[in-house]
């Protein structure tokens, strides 16, 4: 409906205006408005809407059922929904970072700058984990019949982050109940899950990739700082962009890696690589890569843990019917 998701839809339709784009959104009213705007500029396209809230497993299951009724296959699924609830800026870390040798790294990744207050959802899961990881995982599981085909591959493209840190993720606490950086933990879990999905599904014609859209000013990030602080920091950010390519700033720039992957043959991609949207100091977009800091055994263990959690959750859903 907004941010990088809307920018991605616009850019994909500019690449091929006869695509069928399905907007999977929580707010149907806003999605219908976006649909109308996309069709107005690309009348040859097909644009449809399905309502889904990945923070509600009942909603995910209902949406998956609806998609299976509408479509015989899905070629690309962009898994872009995400939240960072009540982000708190560590002012001390911000100002100490400004005057350290790691200033570029800290601003590019937000490492150590943000903490979040998580909460438990109606499904009994941590909200960030369910929204950013588990809701998507259940959706993929439900849509396997539309994604796994022998004739040509289907693609999963996850929105991860440069903020995905190994140190913030623990297999014994995959929901990050005991930590203060659930967003970073969830993004690291996405990286692991993508690797595990490739190990388990490539032979069935399904390929997974992860991207980072960079640091953008969107609804997700605007609430982190008061408006006057954004005003003060933007000149610094523009200056840093000459030295750090992570500051894409706009959703259109942030969508660069997501659009680039649309054109790639998945068999040629390294499953251990993260694809990063980047922008030069003069505003030119390009894609760079980063080897993910993970091991495949941990990825497989997370996958098995998610399958086990899925069983438990489905039993609970059945009991509550």
């Amino acid at each position: 409906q907004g941010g990088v998701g809307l920018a991605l839809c616009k850019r994909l339709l500019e690449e091929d205006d006869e695509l069928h784009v399905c907007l999977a959104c929580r707010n149907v009213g806003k999605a219908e408005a976006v649909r109308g705007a996309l069709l107005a500029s690309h009348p040859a396209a097909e644009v449809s809407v399905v309502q889904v809230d990945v923070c509600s497993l009942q909603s995910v299951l209902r949406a998956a059922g609806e998609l299976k009724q509408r479509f015989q296959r899905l070629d690309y699924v962009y898994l872009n929904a995400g939240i960072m609830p009540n982000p708190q800026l560590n002012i001390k870390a911000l100002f100490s970072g400004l005057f350290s040798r790691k200033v570029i790294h800290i601003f590019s990744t937000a490492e150590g700058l943000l903490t979040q207050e998580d909460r438990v959802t109606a499904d009994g899961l941590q909200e960030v984990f369910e929204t950013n990881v588990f809701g998507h995982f259940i959706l993929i599981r439900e849509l396997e019949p539309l994604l796994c085909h022998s004739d040509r591959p289907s693609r999963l493209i996850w929105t991860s982050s440069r903020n995905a840190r190994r140190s913030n993720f623990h297999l014994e606490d995959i929901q990050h109940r005991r930590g203060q950086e659930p967003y970073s933990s969830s993004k690291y879990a996405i990286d692991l899950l993508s690797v595990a999905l490739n190990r388990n599904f490539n032979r069935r014609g399904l390929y997974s990739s992860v991207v980072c859209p960079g640091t953008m000013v969107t609804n997700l990030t605007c609430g982190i700082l008061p408006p006057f602080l954004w005003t003060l920091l933007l000149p610094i950010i523009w200056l840093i962009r000459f030295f750090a390519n992570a500051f894409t700033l706009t959703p259109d720039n942030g969508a660069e890696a997501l659009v680039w992957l649309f054109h790639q043959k998945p068999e040629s991609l390294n499953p251990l690589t993260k694809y990063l949207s980047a922008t030069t100091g003069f505003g030119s977009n390009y894609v760079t890569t980063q080897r993910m800091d993970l091991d495949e055994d941990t990825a497989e263990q997370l996958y098995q843990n998610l399958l086990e959690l899925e069983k438990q959750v489905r039993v609970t859903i059945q009991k509550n019917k």
Side-chain angles (χ1 to χ4, degrees):
Q1 292 163 198
V4 74
L6 175 56
L8 171 64
C9 290
K10 289 179 177 177
R11 291 194 56 180
L12 288 179
L13 289 173
E14 287 167 5
E15 301 281 325
D16 181 352
D17 66 358
E18 294 186 355
L19 287 174
H20 185 152
V21 176
C22 181
L23 309 173
C25 301
R26 187 170 51 181
N27 187 316
V28 174
K30 289 182 179 178
E32 288 291 351
V34 168
R35 176 179 179 272
L38 291 173
L39 287 173
S41 54
H42 301 281
E46 287 187 72
V47 182
S48 57
V49 172
V50 64
Q51 195 279 333
V52 61
D53 180 357
V54 287
C55 195
S56 164
L57 296 181
Q58 292 279 18
S59 174
V60 170
L61 294 174
R62 182 201 53 75
E66 194 173 325
L67 289 167
K68 283 186 279 194
Q69 286 183 335
R70 289 196 213 172
F71 301 105
Q72 291 185 312
R73 68 172 294 144
L74 297 171
D75 295 305
Y76 295 82
V77 178
Y78 284 90
L79 300 154
N80 181 56
I83 57 167
M84 184 193 293
N86 305 310
Q88 304 293 315
L89 181 68
N90 185 330
I91 298 292
K92 183 179 177 183
L94 171 65
F95 282 100
S96 64
L98 276 173
F99 301 102
S100 76
R101 287 180 295 177
K102 296 176 67 177
V103 60
I104 303 293
H105 172 78
I106 289 170
F107 271 82
S108 296
T109 64
E111 184 177 347
L113 293 183
L114 298 174
T115 60
Q116 303 96 46
E117 293 177 13
D118 209 350
R119 68 182 184 90
V120 177
T121 69
D123 295 314
L125 303 171
Q126 294 300 119
E127 183 180 33
V128 175
F129 168 78
E130 182 169 8
T131 304
N132 294 6
V133 184
F134 196 63
H136 290 117
F137 175 72
I138 296 298
L139 184 64
I140 293 165
R141 294 276 293 155
E142 287 290 311
L143 295 178
E144 276 183 34
L146 305 187
L147 293 168
C148 297
H149 298 275
S150 58
D151 57 337
R152 70 179 188 272
S154 290
R155 309 283 302 279
L156 303 173
I157 299 174
W158 300 79
T159 299
S160 179
S161 173
R162 289 169 172 85
N163 187 245
R165 314 299 300 177
R166 180 193 283 261
S167 58
N168 290 325
F169 176 84
H170 304 284
L171 269 176
E172 63 275 12
D173 183 21
I174 62 173
Q175 297 191 50
H176 204 73
R177 294 183 188 276
R178 298 189 293 273
Q180 285 192 300
E181 296 200 43
Y183 182 81
S184 174
S185 174
S186 72
K187 294 300 181 179
Y188 190 79
I190 284 172
D191 294 352
L192 290 167
L193 179 53
S194 179
V195 169
L197 289 168
N198 280 314
R199 285 184 66 178
N200 287 277
F201 285 92
N202 280 179
R203 64 185 178 275
R204 296 175 59 189
L206 177 61
Y207 291 80
S208 180
S209 303
V210 288
V211 307
C212 173
T215 302
M216 302 171 293
V217 182
T218 67
N219 291 338
L220 189 68
T221 54
C222 278
I224 296 172
L225 298 173
F228 79 93
L229 265 181
W230 274 118
T231 304
L232 290 174
L233 282 175
L234 271 176
I236 299 172
I237 291 172
W238 280 100
L239 180 63
I240 290 175
R241 196 161 78 166
F242 282 92
F243 306 96
N245 56 24
F247 290 97
T248 51
L249 296 186
T250 70
D252 188 71
N253 294 345
E256 187 70 20
L258 289 89
V259 176
W260 182 83
L261 279 169
F262 177 75
H263 295 290
Q264 307 308 308
K265 288 190 182 340
E267 303 91 338
S268 68
L269 300 173
N270 185 337
L272 298 177
T273 295
K274 183 180 294 183
Y275 299 91
L276 315 174
S277 295
T279 305
T280 68
F282 294 105
S284 298
N285 296 327
Y286 63 103
V287 176
T288 185
T289 61
Q290 178 186 83
R291 183 176 173 84
M292 292 187 281
D293 179 25
L294 52 78
D295 65 86
E296 295 188 51
D297 289 341
T298 304
E300 184 61 30
Q301 187 58 60
L302 171 65
Y303 180 65
Q304 296 302 324
N305 289 357
L306 291 174
L307 290 175
E308 188 58 38
L309 181 58
E310 178 190 358
K311 287 180 190 173
Q312 298 169 17
V313 168
R314 287 186 186 274
V315 169
T316 303
I317 290 174
Q318 283 297 119
K319 285 181 180 176
N320 292 337
K321 277 188 176 179

